[in-house]
Amino acid sequence: MSINSMTGFARTSGAHDGISWLFEMKSVNGRGLEVRCRLPIGFDALEDRLRKLVKAHFERGSINLHLQFENRSAAGAQQVNEEFLAELIAISEKYVADGKVAPPRIDGLLALRGVIEPKGDPLAGASSEALEAALFASAETLMREMARTRAEEGAQLRPVLLAQLDAIEALVGRAATLAADWPVRAREKIRSQMAQLLEAGDLDAGRLEQELALLTTKADISEELDRLRGHITATREILTAKTKASVGRRLDFICQEFNREANTLCSKASEKELTQIGLDLKVVIDKLREQVQNIE
């Protein structure tokens, strides 16, 4: 199975009938799928189709899609959108009159998006349908490139995840070894303390035996160890399954369960060494979860 990261970057360019463009796509971690499109003025109508295209290829991640569009026949030619500039000046005058802002500088106004724009119609000389088809063929190429980079990043994450899982398994094994003969050690220690108490006064030996049995039951971590082993098995199955489904949420949930069991183990531990194992478990689980946050 391919483990896909949510981190990636892709770029592709295209041209049609004298018009060229550059697509760029950047993806970072996200709880769900969030798509932001930055398109040239006049091409905002493409946003809905581009969003649907992204959702058809990816399930999770915060994705930024940028289309830079250029008419080669008018390369470098720019003009001021005077109507838009006049609107901005009128709006600013109202706030200046109220004393809320200082008068705007012309260089600041000209730097705003949409004030300066390319001369001429970027669609001039090209069929709108043909151009749109070429754009989306280029966008499909961009999606495949992004999928490839996210898969490469995921391939680098897999050995890291498996190494951390091995570390968790080793710590669980150590805890199981300690837990196996803990009742014997605990019983001898408490019997010794009981003997001292009985010698010091008239105490009910039967009642003390009952308390001993209760303490032993409360300190039993066998269930926690069984659940930790189950989580290890489930995680390995996810990492090796023959599926292309998104697994990041499942792995994140298992990490929460790992942490829950480690906390319980620490609370039940009655020996320093077992407590340290529980703390070490929490550290490794936290590292595992950090990496899991990157998975789609």
Side-chain angles (χ1 to χ4, degrees):
M1 171 187 144
S2 174
I3 297 295
N4 295 321
S5 170
M6 284 188 281
T7 304
F9 177 80
R11 174 185 292 164
T12 187
S13 58
H16 174 78
D17 201 12
I19 299 172
S20 63
W21 59 83
L22 175 68
F23 267 120
E24 288 186 344
M25 192 173 183
K26 181 180 179 182
S27 173
V28 294
N29 300 354
R31 293 180 63 85
L33 180 62
E34 183 179 4
V35 183
R36 299 184 183 90
C37 295
R38 184 182 174 191
L39 305 175
I41 292 175
F43 294 91
D44 294 336
L46 299 177
E47 182 170 342
D48 187 54
R49 285 194 62 190
L50 287 172
R51 286 179 176 274
K52 289 178 180 178
L53 187 62
V54 173
K55 290 178 181 179
H57 285 80
F58 306 105
E59 296 184 42
R60 295 180 70 202
S62 179
I63 295 175
N64 286 278
L65 181 63
H66 178 211
L67 171 61
Q68 182 178 336
F69 206 85
E70 179 182 282
N71 187 340
R72 287 180 179 172
S73 63
Q78 303 287 319
Q79 66 181 5
V80 175
N81 186 333
E82 294 187 3
E83 182 179 350
F84 183 39
L85 179 60
E87 290 180 7
L88 292 174
I89 292 173
I91 293 171
S92 66
E93 285 176 347
K94 177 181 180 299
Y95 287 96
V96 171
D98 293 341
K100 295 180 179 179
V101 297
R105 292 166 53 94
I106 188 62
D107 55 346
L109 290 172
L110 292 176
L112 295 174
R113 185 185 177 197
V115 176
I116 296 181
E117 58 187 10
K119 273 188 178 181
D121 182 1
L123 294 178
S127 163
S128 295
E129 291 184 3
L131 177 60
E132 187 172 296
L135 275 171
F136 277 91
S138 183
E140 285 280 7
T141 301
L142 182 72
M143 299 299 121
R144 291 192 294 270
E145 178 63 16
M146 174 59 83
R148 183 189 65 80
T149 62
R150 285 170 47 135
E152 286 182 353
E153 181 78 15
Q156 295 176 10
L157 283 175
R158 182 198 289 272
V160 175
L161 294 171
L162 290 173
Q164 290 167 341
L165 201 60
D166 288 342
I168 292 173
E169 191 168 33
L171 287 168
V172 170
R174 286 175 52 195
T177 300
L178 279 175
D181 58 358
W182 177 84
V184 175
R185 298 195 307 275
R187 186 173 293 274
E188 291 304 318
K189 180 179 179 181
I190 296 176
R191 280 188 183 281
S192 174
Q193 294 172 342
M194 286 172 54
Q196 296 177 14
L197 290 171
L198 289 171
E199 288 178 1
D202 184 18
L203 296 176
D204 185 348
R207 177 62 183 274
L208 288 175
E209 285 284 355
Q210 291 176 3
E211 292 296 327
L212 171 60
L214 181 60
L215 288 172
T216 301
T217 301
K218 287 183 176 180
D220 183 15
I221 61 169
S222 59
E223 289 186 10
E224 286 72 25
L225 295 176
D226 287 342
R227 283 193 286 267
L228 284 167
R229 294 188 190 100
H231 298 331
I232 292 169
T233 300
T235 304
R236 289 196 189 280
E237 288 176 353
I238 291 172
L239 294 177
T240 57
K242 304 291 184 181
T243 178
K244 295 183 179 179
S246 174
V247 298
R249 287 191 178 94
R250 291 175 62 195
L251 290 173
D252 188 53
F253 174 76
I254 291 177
C255 285
Q256 294 179 43
E257 295 303 305
F258 265 130
N259 198 54
R260 191 194 314 277
E261 301 306 331
N263 284 334
T264 305
L265 190 150
C266 286
S267 67
K268 284 188 172 184
S270 58
E271 294 182 311
K272 181 180 179 181
E273 189 174 357
L274 191 56
T275 300
Q276 186 59 53
I277 289 174
L279 294 175
D280 291 343
L281 263 175
K282 288 172 63 65
V283 170
V284 180
I285 290 166
D286 189 55
K287 290 180 179 178
L288 177 67
R289 191 173 186 185
E290 272 186 29
Q291 298 301 329
V292 164
Q293 299 298 318
N294 296 320
I295 296 176
E296 183 179 8

